[in-house]
Amino acid sequence: MHNLPMARRGFLRSSLSFTVLAAGGVSILPQAALAQDRAASEMGAWIVISAYNSISIRFGSAEMGQGVNTSLPMIVAEELDVDWAQVQVEQVDADPNRSLGNPEFGGNLFTAGSASIGGYFDILRRAGAAARLVLVQSVAAAWDTPVTEITTEAGVLIHSVSGRRMTYGAAATTLELVLEVPEITEADLKPRSDWRIIGQNLDRLDIPGKTRGDNIYSIDVRLPNMLYATQILSPVEGETPIQFDDAKVRELNGVVDVVDLGSSIAVLTETWEVALVARDLLDVTWSETSPFRNADSVAGMRELRAAAADDTREATIWEDRGDALAAIKDGQNIISAEFSTEHVYHAQLEPLNAIADVDADGKGAEIWLGTQSQSVTIGVAAGVLQTTHDRIRLHATQMGGAFGRRTVFARNLLKDALILSRKAKRPVKLMWTREDDVKQGWFRPPTAHHLEAVLEADGSIAAMRHRLAAPSIMEFAFPQRWNSETRVDPLLIEGAESRDYDIPNFRAEHIVTPRQARMAAWRGIGWGPNSYAREAFLDLIAAETRQSPLDLRRKLLRNSPRGQAVLERVAEMSGFGETPTGRAHGIAFAGYKETYGAGVAEVSLKDGSLRVHRFWAAVDPGIVVHPINYVAQVEGAVLYALSSVLRERITFSGGEVSQNNFYDYELLRIDEAAEVEVALIESGAAPSGGGEIGVPMTGGAIANAVRALTGTTPTNLPLQAI
């Protein structure tokens, strides 16, 4: 329990804020009493109740289109027992006391891996319940009644015996509060039968602003006296400018400075238009000494496939049930196959950008940034300026897409914006063009998969081995968390464990190969490529053993009730196997962490052009906080994956990215989008995320539909002309 000194009775408070700590205690801040440190009090609270009975609820995850600015506050509002119409929401920009961060990420403000709902669900329920309990205890004391006689309804405290009523706002700002709140337990939380907000299809709070164009993204920010910055960046990773001619640039009206940043050349101008013109006039000579200058995606894929198939290559074991190696060595009926996936780009619609205004002493800054991690951003900025975290004032804006791209990019882009602002002594907006964003992208790694299985006479699978060859994301993007001895990279190998499938002898392993490009987690992380390879392999096994793909998966999921449920539901939804002439169905089971899902794709092929007409998905996410939004997330993930399965592809030659913009890095167009239908199955399990489950089921379902249509299984993503 954590209590703060309160003002004496009668002190007029304008608002009161509540924070539940990780251990379950409650911290309560009278904000008017802390007016001299208003910013600190605002950062330290989940809930702020005003005298006018408006309820401000903060949320720690970053809003990037997944709707957490609605779903997370819904959890608090449920236990607080308020009218949703009273609620306003605000994203947390900083967390100096580490009380508002996601427990799944060590208490950091970090948004990734569909971890927001699962990570925050319990702590936000306790936050709402604790705040409600403080108000109930306080009004009971003021009215001299037992706590058990006080009930709440829609932001009003009610004495059930006398009928007296008081709003939360009045109680929070006029009563002497009873702050001795015990640790909130499950018994203090509402039973599901009493939920009025969780599980309801409330309107998303960010949609009106997006529809009207009112929402502010970091790329929209304009400050008084602000400079614009653009960069010339090396076409090959790791190279530096050895000389440059900026004479013509400095002659341009509106050019303020040309700055050598060590790894790039930046131009500072009064307008963005001048910045683009100036950049084209720069003549830069690069060092041409990078080991990546020989990177070639075609040769690289050949090396990956060879590594996956080479039994002598050392591998990190991810899953080992039974003795798959012995079973395969001694097996009589063995089937094997190889699959691969290529580099893909995040393709977020808002190119990377950062706005920094460094303080006059160079030891603090105000920042505007769309970021998946407020904690990482503040840490990076403090490191660049060699200062303390409290000197960094972050405005975390909404993002125009992220998908993993905006996790740790602050290490580069924000760093440069801060250096430029400190040098210019003015605010600086540093922006990348789309071409910069593509050429300098951190991509999903390429992967190669070698799968082999031992088949029994009755068609069952006695053993399976899944060997993945791929460079490590962790080693590049999170070196501080990379263990060079164990070499375990969950971002690459997760999803290969196939734990819901009843295969007595199973082994999944990862051969870590050298990288040829910058890499980052991409929507669905390892689950996408790994599930595609496994599910396509299972259809090969079904054909070999003369089973239907559905029946084979039924047998494999016999010990997984949740897996069986999504499989049967999607088969029922799609009428699996019953298609119009010229079309075919493909099915895939694919979980994502604690979420269960299965998908069916309906495809056709005409003149060598593959079309996905319909896609059905059945998903069990446990408790569903915001159903309509969850469905939207699954729909979006399916379409996002569909685009990458059909055509998205990054290639390298001579160390340079071959693609430039959306004209040669093609995305799925709206007239090509499949009709997507999603069914949610409420198992009552703990809640889990919905932003990525649509990805791992899509590749396998489409590949298997192609096999059903043509008799040939696609072994590489994106699908080539068939």
Side-chain angles (χ1 to χ4, degrees), residues 69-392:
N69 72 343
T70 304
S71 55
L72 290 178
M74 285 173 66
I75 300 168
V76 179
E78 181 66 78
E79 292 294 341
L80 185 57
D81 201 17
V82 297
D83 185 339
W84 184 248
Q86 299 171 283
V87 172
Q88 302 173 29
V89 302
E90 180 184 346
Q91 183 172 302
V92 173
D93 290 328
D95 183 23
N97 299 318
R98 293 177 65 83
S99 59
L100 307 181
N102 192 328
E104 289 202 12
F105 295 112
N108 287 302
L109 295 171
F110 194 95
T111 308
S114 295
S116 293
I117 293 294
Y120 278 116
F121 187 73
D122 289 338
I123 196 171
L124 292 183
R125 290 185 74 196
R126 293 202 305 272
R132 177 182 172 276
L133 184 55
V134 166
L135 297 173
V136 167
Q137 289 181 160
S138 301
V139 79
W143 292 346
D144 195 22
T145 64
V147 168
T148 54
E149 293 182 1
I150 303 297
T151 60
T152 61
E153 182 180 342
V156 177
L157 295 139
I158 304 166
H159 183 218
S160 57
V161 176
S162 67
R164 294 180 67 183
R165 300 167 67 90
M166 179 177 283
T167 66
Y168 282 9
T173 56
T174 64
L175 300 181
E176 183 171 357
L177 300 178
V178 178
L179 302 176
E180 293 296 322
V181 177
E183 182 175 327
I184 300 299
T185 67
E186 189 68 27
D188 300 308
L189 303 175
K190 283 185 179 182
R192 290 193 64 176
S193 57
D194 289 349
W195 286 355
R196 297 182 300 104
I197 295 176
I198 293 177
Q200 298 302 305
N201 285 325
L202 305 179
D203 291 340
R204 269 179 52 166
L205 300 178
D206 58 328
I207 297 302
K210 288 177 176 175
T211 304
R212 295 190 300 262
D214 293 341
N215 285 6
I216 300 298
Y217 301 86
S218 57
I219 204 167
D220 299 321
V221 172
R222 295 186 180 184
L223 304 176
N225 201 35
M226 185 178 77
L227 293 174
Y228 292 83
T230 187
Q231 293 174 286
I232 294 280
L233 298 129
S234 171
V236 178
E237 180 187 351
E239 295 186 346
T240 57
I242 56 176
Q243 65 180 36
F244 63 95
D245 183 355
D246 61 0
K248 292 181 180 179
V249 173
R250 292 186 181 276
E251 292 174 0
L252 287 176
N253 185 33
V255 171
V256 175
D257 202 357
V258 179
V259 182
D260 184 349
L261 290 170
S263 60
S264 68
I265 305 296
V267 181
L268 286 166
T269 62
E270 297 289 353
T271 68
W272 177 242
E273 292 75 15
V274 170
L276 293 178
V277 172
R279 188 172 84 153
D280 289 343
L281 294 175
L282 269 175
D283 184 7
V284 182
T285 302
W286 299 95
S287 59
E288 298 190 7
T289 57
S290 171
F292 296 103
R293 185 158 282 276
N294 295 322
D296 181 275
S297 51
V298 175
M301 181 55 71
R302 283 198 302 266
E303 293 169 4
L304 281 183
R305 282 179 170 265
D310 184 356
D311 259 350
T312 66
R313 291 288 294 265
E314 181 182 358
T316 297
I317 299 173
W318 174 249
E319 181 81 2
D320 202 11
R321 307 190 298 267
D323 193 343
L325 295 185
I328 291 171
K329 180 180 178 181
D330 299 335
Q332 299 300 311
N333 187 9
I334 297 177
I335 182 173
S336 65
E338 295 182 350
F339 301 91
S340 58
T341 66
E342 302 188 36
H343 278 297
V344 286
Y345 161 58
H346 294 84
Q348 79 288 345
L349 291 186
E350 179 192 8
L352 297 187
N353 60 90
I355 297 89
D357 186 8
V358 175
D359 298 343
D361 65 358
K363 291 294 184 180
E366 195 164 6
I367 296 165
W368 290 260
L369 193 71
T371 173
Q372 288 179 239
S373 178
Q374 303 94 306
S375 296
V376 169
T377 297
I378 291 171
V380 166
V384 171
L385 300 179
Q386 293 295 293
T387 190
T388 54
H389 286 204
D390 61 293
R391 289 293 305 273
I392 307 301

Side-chain angles (χ1 to χ4, degrees), residues 635-716:
E635 291 172 340
V638 167
L639 293 173
Y640 189 83
L642 179 61
S643 181
S644 70
V645 167
L646 294 181
R647 62 175 58 139
E648 291 182 44
R649 183 189 198 190
I650 287 289
T651 57
F652 289 84
S653 179
E656 296 189 30
V657 175
S658 302
Q659 289 70 32
N660 297 275
N661 205 316
F662 290 141
Y663 67 83
D664 56 0
Y665 185 87
E666 293 187 72
L667 303 178
L668 192 75
R669 306 292 175 173
I670 194 168
D671 63 324
E672 302 167 302
E675 179 183 345
V676 182
E677 181 181 340
V678 179
L680 300 181
I681 299 175
E682 265 268 22
S683 63
S688 58
E692 298 179 80
I693 183 60
V695 173
M697 67 177 71
T698 303
I702 294 173
N704 290 334
V706 170
R707 174 177 175 77
L709 192 66
T710 67
T712 301
T713 298
T715 59
N716 183 73

Side-chain angles (χ1 to χ4, degrees), residues 290-624:
S290 171
F292 296 103
R293 185 158 282 276
N294 295 322
D296 181 275
S297 51
V298 175
M301 181 55 71
R302 283 198 302 266
E303 293 169 4
L304 281 183
R305 282 179 170 265
D310 184 356
D311 259 350
T312 66
R313 291 288 294 265
E314 181 182 358
T316 297
I317 299 173
W318 174 249
E319 181 81 2
D320 202 11
R321 307 190 298 267
D323 193 343
L325 295 185
I328 291 171
K329 180 180 178 181
D330 299 335
Q332 299 300 311
N333 187 9
I334 297 177
I335 182 173
S336 65
E338 295 182 350
F339 301 91
S340 58
T341 66
E342 302 188 36
H343 278 297
V344 286
Y345 161 58
H346 294 84
Q348 79 288 345
L349 291 186
E350 179 192 8
L352 297 187
N353 60 90
I355 297 89
D357 186 8
V358 175
D359 298 343
D361 65 358
K363 291 294 184 180
E366 195 164 6
I367 296 165
W368 290 260
L369 193 71
T371 173
Q372 288 179 239
S373 178
Q374 303 94 306
S375 296
V376 169
T377 297
I378 291 171
V380 166
V384 171
L385 300 179
Q386 293 295 293
T387 190
T388 54
H389 286 204
D390 61 293
R391 289 293 305 273
I392 307 301
R393 290 93 64 198
L394 171 65
H395 303 276
T397 64
Q398 291 194 28
M399 288 164 270
F403 314 116
R405 182 65 181 97
R406 299 181 190 271
T407 49
V408 293
F409 78 100
R411 292 202 307 236
N412 302 100
L413 200 77
L414 177 60
K415 170 188 169 185
D416 290 345
L418 288 162
I419 292 171
L420 293 171
S421 176
R422 182 173 58 188
K423 186 176 190 303
K425 300 187 183 304
R426 291 172 63 177
V428 169
K429 177 192 279 190
L430 173 60
M431 294 192 290
W432 280 4
T433 64
R434 175 61 58 188
E435 288 77 10
D436 293 333
D437 208 285
V438 174
K439 297 287 189 182
Q440 304 295 321
W442 290 20
F443 308 116
R444 188 186 73 183
T447 66
H449 308 257
H450 181 84
L451 291 100
E452 50 191 339
V454 178
L455 307 181
E456 300 283 23
D458 63 356
S460 61
I461 301 174
M464 183 184 290
R465 186 186 189 190
H466 187 161
R467 278 173 66 82
L468 163 70
S472 169
I473 295 173
M474 293 282 292
E475 185 178 17
F476 171 71
F478 302 98
Q480 71 280 8
R481 294 172 54 196
W482 171 246
N483 187 321
S484 59
E485 294 183 2
T486 62
R487 297 170 70 80
V488 175
D489 188 344
L491 298 179
L492 257 299
I493 192 65
E494 267 192 337
E497 58 274 1
S498 305
R499 289 177 192 143
D500 284 281
Y501 282 149
D502 185 9
I503 302 173
N505 302 288
F506 184 90
R507 183 182 178 101
E509 52 197 18
H510 176 199
I511 301 101
V512 180
T513 60
R515 70 179 182 90
Q516 293 192 330
R518 306 174 185 91
M519 297 180 304
W522 191 89
R523 194 172 188 174
I525 51 176
W527 296 82
N530 295 329
S531 296
Y532 150 67
R534 181 197 61 233
E535 293 299 304
F537 186 51
L538 287 181
D539 267 36
L540 290 175
I541 292 174
E544 178 73 16
T545 55
R546 300 181 185 278
Q547 302 178 74
S548 78
L550 179 58
D551 285 342
L552 174 60
R553 289 173 175 80
R554 282 171 171 155
K555 292 175 184 176
L556 290 172
L557 292 169
R558 54 182 167 261
N559 295 322
S560 174
R562 295 178 70 187
Q564 284 181 333
V566 294
L567 185 73
E568 296 299 341
R569 183 72 180 94
V570 81
E572 176 189 355
M573 292 164 62
S574 62
F576 181 72
E578 301 175 6
T579 61
T581 301
R583 298 186 184 183
H585 281 166
I587 194 166
F589 167 77
Y592 180 84
K593 298 184 179 178
E594 302 305 317
T595 307
Y596 286 72
V600 169
E602 181 176 292
V603 309
S604 70
L605 187 63
K606 184 177 181 181
D607 299 327
S609 178
L610 179 67
R611 178 68 185 262
V612 181
H613 298 273
R614 303 186 69 184
F615 196 98
W616 296 266
V619 179
D620 172 7
I623 294 170
V624 183

